[in-house]
Amino acid sequence: MSKKIQWISIVLALVLIGSSYYQVNSYKSEMQALKKDKVELKQEMQNVESQAQYIFNQANQKEIELTHETWPKYFDIAEVMVEESDGKFLRPWAIYLVKEAETYGIDPFIVYELLKIETGDNFDPELVGPETKYGHAYGMAQFMKNTAPWIADMAEMPYEDELLFDPYYSIKLSLVYVDYLYEQYDNWDETLTAYHRGMAGLEQYKLKNGHANSEYATRIQTNAQKYKEFVAYAP
């Protein structure tokens, strides 16, 4: 009888130990989930703050008008893009890009090269990118539907999915995003790598490689510098 009681006691003890172990693990899992939520919330708050600051800064953005003095400059720079693309990047798009880029103080060839890479050198405004775990990317600037809306909001632009296939809208959105990213990082390596991989993807890339000098960023900057040799007065 005493042995039976001992066995029962042992079984009960094991049950209690197992239950305690499960509770401890459950508690640890909950704590890890809470920590993850806290980190994500902090990142989201930082993003909201940076977006608000960007919107505030845009209030002081200069407006550029086409005049008899500025038109030849825009036209000549645009012609370099049209010729280099064998006419795939249409002249009206190029002139629009050059004008808007100067408004943001961005080298237009940086964005031109970005659009060139994003579309595989064909500048197709109706391009739909390959499917990823985050969905497809759309248009000339290859924005995803989870990214484009908040960039449009930040730029005080309307948003509809169909607008991503409008070349002028796509160019404008890419300029706004590049300008926003450059304001965050203050260098082209991080700016362009973040455009390509996302801001979280940039941090992962830096952790893995120790730098932000991705092949994507290097290619864009190298080619943009090459075009400046043709047009010395590019903004």
Side-chain angles (χ1 to χ4, degrees), residues 60 64 148 211 217:
N60 299 319
I64 305 296
H211 59 78

Side-chain angles (χ1 to χ4, degrees), residues 188-189 192-193 212-224:
W188 284 115
D189 283 345
L192 295 171
T193 301
N213 188 22
S214 64
E215 181 181 352
Y216 180 91
T218 300
R219 180 179 169 188
I220 289 174
Q221 292 176 84
T222 300
N223 286 339

